[in-house]
Amino acid sequence: QVQVVESGGGLVQPGGSLRLSCAVSGVIFKFYAVDWYRQTPGKQRELVAGISSGGAMTNYADSVKGRFAISRDNGKNTVYLQMNSLKPEDTAVYFCNAQRKRITTPEDYWGQGTQVTVSS
């Protein structure tokens, strides 16, 4: 089966950094675009960042642009989210979504999430 596993979350002080990883197995990874989402109890799920299957195109939410960076290593079947200058507002469960953007039969796989807590 397809597996999407996030890791790297934890507790960090404001201004600190974390690097999240999203490991995907069971698919030909180079065909899949990947998005990072986050969700808190008081907010709707938010698209944080995305990267195309080849890694050439990226996009970011305005709230994280300039602080977060998404990248991928197709040789390791892994997408990363480097989070710098973290703020308490970044506290959330972060989810990874791997998508094959195929017209006929698109595919979409979610991970279980990893908790990020930014607090002093």
Side-chain angles (χ1 to χ4, degrees), residues 30-42:
K30 67 179 180 180
F31 294 156
Y32 286 75
V34 176
D35 293 333
W36 283 97
Y37 289 80
R38 66 187 181 187
Q39 188 165 27
T40 62

Side-chain angles (χ1 to χ4, degrees), residues 43-94:
K43 295 183 178 180
Q44 295 181 342
R45 188 175 298 172
E46 175 188 19
L47 177 63
V48 177
I51 189 166
S52 61
S53 59
M57 298 178 63
T58 59
N59 63 279
Y60 300 91
D62 288 342
S63 59
V64 307
K65 194 170 186 178
R67 300 188 296 119
F68 291 11
I70 189 170
S71 62
R72 68 189 294 155
D73 185 340
N74 285 348
K76 296 182 178 180
N77 282 21
T78 300
V79 166
Y80 305 98
L81 184 66
Q82 179 67 45
M83 306 187 296
N84 300 321
S85 301
L86 283 162
K87 304 175 181 180
E89 308 92 90
D90 297 317
T91 296
V93 178
Y94 284 72

